[in-house]
């Protein structure tokens, strides 16, 4: 049985009914078919969520998958990600990662990093291990970001700012929340995301340096590619990273600037100024 889709948020008690219905509707109407099982769980937060801003958003002007790949590579290089890490990432995403979470890769060496879970003993870190590209990825090579959300006021402002530049798809809203939480982790230099849904062909590269850069045509229509990768810096403490990604509740209230479509060169040079 494979994981098909997930969604989550942080809500006040008064909107729980509505939000559960929305998630259920989405699970039952998914393009990948009627699911064998749907799990909905509700958890009371034990700590006040950390308030963060959403990353600034811009869409890169690209016309086809070839230009899109070039843009991803140039953006990652600009952020300082090494060639080895970039090559592995594009290969893995093209093949499709087939995991529910994001893969971890050392930004400056390209080594894959395993962060696993041992039953009954809570989270623990397996050793950093390199995986050859042709090997199947073990399940513990990924982390699923959880406990993120947006305040009702933030949501209203974000929806309106996104609509002003023609962005109305629910995925933008959701992916931006994940990316903003991820970018809030000092161990992450950048994130690449390509939807595994065959009809959603826009991906993004996110970083503190350049914000959330949307890349249209990152895969061809109908393609089964997809996945997420976090590029980690050598200072990483994996237990802190896992705790933050999976457990720390983070909520967006302030909204970063939302720009429309810009050429790649402009995106790269405005970031320097
Ligand atoms: N934490 C970590 N990884 C995740 C999470 C999560 N919460 N959710 C999904 N993933 C991984 C998983 O491996 C999926 O295969 C992959 O990311 C893609 O997930 O601006 O729809 O939910 O137009 O298919 C981005 C562009 C859309 C939005 C992303 O991703 C835009 C999308 P999907
Ligand atoms: Mg998906």
């Amino acid at each position: 049985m494979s994981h098909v889709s997930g969604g989550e948020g942080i809500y006040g008690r008064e909107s729980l009914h509505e939000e559960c219905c929305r998630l259920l509707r989405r699970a039952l109407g998914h393009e990948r078919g009627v699911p064998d099982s749907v799990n909905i769980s509700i958890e009371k937060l034990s700590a006040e969520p950390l308030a963060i801003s959403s990353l600034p958003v811009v869409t890169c002007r690209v016309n086809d998958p070839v230009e899109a790949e070039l843009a991803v590579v140039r953006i990652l290089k600009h952020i300082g990600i090494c060639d080895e890490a970039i090559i592995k990432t594009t290969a893995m995403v093209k093949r499709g990662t087939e995991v529910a979470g994001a893969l971890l890769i050392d930004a400056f060496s390209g080594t894959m990093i395993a962060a696993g879970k041992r039953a009954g003993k809570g989270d623990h870190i397996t050793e950093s291990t390199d995986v050859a590209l042709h090997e199947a990825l073990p399940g513990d090579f990924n982390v699923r970001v959880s406990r993120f959300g947006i305040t009702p006021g933030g949501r209203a402002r974000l929806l309106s700012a996104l609509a002003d530049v023609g962005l109305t798809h629910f995925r933008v809203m959701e992916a931006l929340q994940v990316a903003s939480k991820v970018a809030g982790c000092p161990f992450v230099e950048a994130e690449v995301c390509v939807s595994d849904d065959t009809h959603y062909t826009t991906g993004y590269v996110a970083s503190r340096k350049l914000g959330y850069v949307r890349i249209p045509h990152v895969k061809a229509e109908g393609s089964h590619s997809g996945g997420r990768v976090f590029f980690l810096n050598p200072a990483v403490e994996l237990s802190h990273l896992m705790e933050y990604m999976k457990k720390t509740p983070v909520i967006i209230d302030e909204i970063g600037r939302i720009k429309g479509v810009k050429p790649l060169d402009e995106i790269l040079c405005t970031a320097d100024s």
Side-chain angles (χ1 to χ4, degrees), residues 4 30 32 171 195-197:
V4 169
H30 201 274
R32 282 165 70 180
R171 280 180 194 275
S195 177
D196 48 18
D197 293 28

Side-chain angles (χ1 to χ4, degrees), residues 55-60 68 71-72 75-76 79 89 93 102 145 171-183 190-195 200-207 211-219 227-231:
L55 287 172
V57 175
V58 65
T59 300
C60 187
V72 170
I75 292 167
L76 289 173
I79 299 165
T89 297
V93 169
V145 182
R171 280 180 194 275
V172 183
M173 184 76 181
E174 272 187 10
L176 183 58
Q177 291 176 48
V178 175
S180 301
K181 176 171 182 183
V182 171
E191 174 190 358
V192 164
C193 174
V194 175
S195 177
Y200 202 83
T201 58
T202 300
Y204 68 81
V205 182
S207 60
Y212 180 95
V213 183
R214 303 179 66 247
I215 317 281
H217 309 298
V218 75
K219 67 179 200 176
R228 251 188 179 93
V229 176
F230 298 162
F231 299 87

Side-chain angles (χ1 to χ4, degrees), residues 54 63 82 89 107 116 177 182 192 232 237:
S54 60
N63 296 306
C82 76
T89 297
Q177 291 176 48
V182 171
V192 164
L232 309 182
E237 291 171 45

